Every structure is written in structure tokens, then in C-alpha cells.
């Protein structure tokens, strides 16, 4: 199961990444940037592939495919190393000994790695190999794998985020259709809220706080019809009034439950977002915002649970933009310091475009395949729980925020502000938004934006 790097792990990665400048020069920099012909003979070569994946079933899926790759191309041997994160990768780069290929759990550092020369631009290899990225990968994946005019990475699998809801609770509350706007979501949440005899909350309709589960992705722009960054590369928090409207919605729903009750909810259920004690599965929440991997978890943990999945509601009163959402995913890099760039790109190309492997891995980790061909062949694409995510992934309005050389640090700064606002530490939303916008703009300026 993939979940993006967050919290302490993200902060650690961000801090380490500051150490990594341009990669080592020399033989690695003078290698051909053309792709290897699959049918051509080749001298035996070993390339190293690092990945964040570490669970036994995930590792087994990779090893099986890499074994098949070696059987098909005996000259290519892949040394596979699991359980490596962005911080470990940055350290290896700084030490001058990077893996040839690195697979990361999230794209937030794509622009940073591209800007500081850690990873190679894949465009010449893709062109030589005859890979048309626009015809191979849905547009949403290209947003988070490119920086400026460079193809810094290739997507491996994709995540999308949507609203899960308990059908039985909806029926009991007399709600006949899922909400399409945030105002409708608030109304439904209030109807679905149940209290114990002592007045404590038994069931929360919906908890919006940004530090719970995947809720941070409600606040990156898609659901409010805003852009995190404007065309000038600056944050839009101070200029776009919709950010204030989004924060007002968030705070009013938190206040409805009471900040202390929401704090207790987050403290109790955050450690159980992905297990059998998940609040949606236990009845502690009627709705929750989550990624597609939760479909697989529910099938394993409570297969008879009657639930629906729909796009996350949007701020606009008319529901304009409904159906789109945040999409991001795992990314695969070719190290600029690799001594076997051609061979490493060949392995990377197979991993990111092979339909059988992508669908097997998607089934293993409960993610969405990331090529048009794999999506077309995927047996889960029409499943009523998976289809909303596939549709959202391919919706032209779905995207992830623009990436910058600051890496994950802009999101860390934004999330810290959101939590302070939700906890009442920021009294004025407008001035708070202006302040955090300036912080992020300064951060980007210092990073080279």
C-alpha cells in the first residue's frame, strides 16, 4: 500500500536533500543519451534499483518481474534493494555512490532533484526509444514528473483521493445522494452525527482537520478551484478569496464538533487509518477522505462493508469542477551519477511501461496503474469501488500542485499553518494566509525558484 511521505519522514528527507548538490562528474556525464535497442546484443551489465517498497508481497512482485526481465535479456542483471527513502537516496548521491534507478513513494522532491542535478533528464532517452509520453501516460502523471522543460522521472503507479461513505448510515439519515459541494458535505455531516446518552459524540459525520489521514490533499487547490501557485510562480493565498472560503468551511465544521472532540478523534484514529480500527469501518465516522488503497484494505479487513466512493465535494456552490481531485504517485528516477545510464534507463522503461507488471503491482499494493495500456487491461477498472478513482485519475481537471526546487518543504510549511489555524492559534485567516504565502515564496526564492 502506498501512502505519500509525510510528517517526520518528509521533514527528514527535506533536511537531507539540502545537502545534495550536483552529482559527480566524469564518465557518467559523457555517456550516450540514446536508448538501447531491445533486440541488440549487449555486454553483461548489472544495474542497481532502489525502492521505498518493503512489504514482502511488494518485494516479491518486483523480484518476479526483474527475474523475467533477466530471463528475456540475459545480459541485464538488476540488483534490487528495497526499503530506501528519499533521505537515503540523497545521502548516496552526496557520497557519490547513487543507485542507477531510484523509486520514490511521492513526487514532492521531483523538482528539487531536477534542479540540483541529482537526476537525469529522461527526454532524450524517451525520444530515442520512441516513447511518446502523452500517448503513454495520462496527463495527470506528467504534471508531477516534470519540472520546467525536463522529464525528471516516470510514473510507476498512481494515487487518487475521494470521499468514502457508509451507505447504511446515509439511508438511516434520509440522505439519498452523496454531497457534491462542501456546503452539502457539511449539511450531510451534521445529519449523520450521532451522540451518546452522555452527550459525547458516537459518530462523526466527517472530520476535516488537515492532519488526519489524507485530508491534507483537500487543501492543495483542486477542491476549492484554486491554484497553489499562480503563473508568476508565487502562492495565491493572499489574492484568491477562495482560500479564505475553504478555511472558513474547515473551521466551521471543526467548531460544530468542538475542537477538543476533534483533537481526541484525530489522536485516537490517526494511528488506525489503515487497519481494522479505521473510523469508517468501526462506525466512528460516516464519511472519510482517503486514497484508493483503502478499497483494497476494506476488501481485506471487512469485505461485507457496504460503502460507496464518490469524488470529493468542491467549494463552488454550483458544483463546478466536481469529479476532479488530487492525483499523485510513485515516481522512478534515473540517477545523473549512474555509470550505466543506458542500461539503467532500459530497466526503468520496462518497469514503468510493462502492462503485466504494472497491473500485478497495482493489485499487490492497491494502487492505480499509470499507463493507458495498463488501465485498459486492468480487470478492476470497472469495479464500482475502483472506477471512481480511475475516472478521477483520467479527469482533465485532476492534478497535483506545481512542484518547486524547495521540494516537500512548501507543503510542510503549508500544513503547519493549516493546523495552527484549525487549532485557533491563527485568529485572522486573511493575514494568516498572506503570511504563510510569503514564507513559502521566500522558501522557493532561496531554493532557486
Amino acid at each position: 500500500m502506498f501512502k505519500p511521505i509525510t510528517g517526520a519522514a518528509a521533514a527528514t528527507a527535506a533536511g537531507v536533500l539540502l545537502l545534495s548538490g550536483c552529482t559527480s562528474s566524469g564518465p557518467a556525464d559523457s555517456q550516450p543519451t540514446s536508448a538501447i535497442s531491445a533486440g541488440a546484443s549487449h555486454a553483461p551489465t548489472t544495474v542497481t534499483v532502489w525502492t521505498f517498497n518493503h512489504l514482502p508481497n511488494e518485494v516479491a512482485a518486483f523480484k518476479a518481474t526483474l527475474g523475467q526481465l533477466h530471463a528475456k535479456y540475459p545480459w541485464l542483471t538488476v540488483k534490487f534493494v528495497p526499503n530506501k527513502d528519499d533521505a537515503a537516496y540523497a545521502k548516496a548521491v552526496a557520497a557519490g555512490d547513487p543507485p542507477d534507478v531510484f523509486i520514490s513513494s511521492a513526487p514532492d522532491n521531483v523538482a528539487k532533484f531536477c534542479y540540483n542535478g541529482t537526476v537525469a533528464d529522461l527526454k532524450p532517452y524517451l525520444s530515442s526509444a520512441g516513447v511518446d509520453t502523452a500517448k503513454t501516460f495520462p496527463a495527470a502523471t506528467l504534471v508531477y514528473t516534470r519540472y520546467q522543460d525536463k522529464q525528471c522521472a516516470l510514473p510507476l503507479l498512481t494515487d487518487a483521493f475521494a470521499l468514502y461513505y457508509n451507505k447504511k448510515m446515509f439511508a438511516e439519515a434520509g440522505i439519498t445522494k452523496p454531497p457534491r459541494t462542501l456546503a452539502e458535505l457539511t449539511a450531510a455531516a451534521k445529519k449523520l452525527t450521532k451522540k451518546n446518552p452522555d452527550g459525547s459524540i458516537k459518530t462523526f459525520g466527517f472530520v476535516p482537520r488537515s492532519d488526519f489521514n489524507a485530508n491534507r490533499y483537500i487543501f492543495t487547490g483542486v477542491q476549492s478551484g484554486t491554484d497553489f501557485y499562480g503563473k508568476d510562480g508565487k502562492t495565491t493565498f493572499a489574492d484568491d478569496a477562495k482560500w479564505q472560503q475553504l478555511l472558513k468551511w474547515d473551521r466551521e465544521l471543526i467548531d460544530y464538533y468542538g475542537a477538543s472532540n476533534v483533537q481526541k478523534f484525530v489522536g485516537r484514529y490517526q494511528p488506525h487509518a489503515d487497519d481494522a480500527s479505521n473510523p469508517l469501518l468501526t462506525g466512528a465516522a460516516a464519511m472519510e477522505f482517503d486514497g484508493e488503497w483503502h478499497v483494497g484494505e476494506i476488501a481485506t479487513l471487512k469485505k461485507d462493508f457496504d460503502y460507496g466512493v464518490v469524488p470529493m465535494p468542491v467549494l463552488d456552490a454550483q458544483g463546478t469542477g466536481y469529479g476532479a481531485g488530487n492525483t499523485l504517485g510513485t515516481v522512478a528516477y534515473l540517477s545523473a551519477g549512474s555509470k550505466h545510464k543506458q542500461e539503467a534507463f532500459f530497466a526503468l522503461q520496462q518497469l514503468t511501461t510493462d502492462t503485466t507488471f504494472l497491473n500485478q503491482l497495482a493489485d499487490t499494493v492497491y494502487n492505480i496503474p499509470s499507463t493507458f495500456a495498463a488501465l485498459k487491461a486492468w480487470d478492476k477498472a470497472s469495479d464500482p469501488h475502483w472506477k471512481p478513482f480511475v475516472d478521477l485519475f483520467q479527469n482533465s481537471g485532476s492534478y497535483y500542485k506545481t512542484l518547486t526546487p524547495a521540494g516537500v518543504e512548501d507543503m510542510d510549511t503549508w500544513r503547519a499553518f493549516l493546523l495552527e489555524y484549525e487549532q485557533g492559534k491563527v485568529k485572522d485567516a486573511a493575514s494568516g494566509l498572506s503570511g504563510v504565502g510569503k514564507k513559502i515564496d521566500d522558501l522557493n526564492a532561496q531554493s532557486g525558484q
Side-chain angles (χ1 to χ4, degrees), residues 184-206:
E184 291 175 358
L185 176 61
T186 295
K190 291 179 178 180
K191 281 186 177 182
L192 292 160
T193 297
K194 298 178 182 178
K195 293 187 176 182
N196 294 307
D198 63 0
S200 61
I201 300 174
K202 178 181 180 181
T203 300
F204 289 77
F206 181 80

Side-chain angles (χ1 to χ4, degrees), residues 33 38 51 82 143 157 179 238 247 312 389 394:
T33 55
T51 182
V143 173
L157 293 177
L247 294 192
M312 181 65 189
F389 291 103
Q394 298 185 87

Side-chain angles (χ1 to χ4, degrees), residues 265-277:
F265 178 94
V266 174
R268 178 176 181 181
Y269 292 108
Q270 179 66 5
H272 302 290
D274 301 304
D275 63 27
S277 295

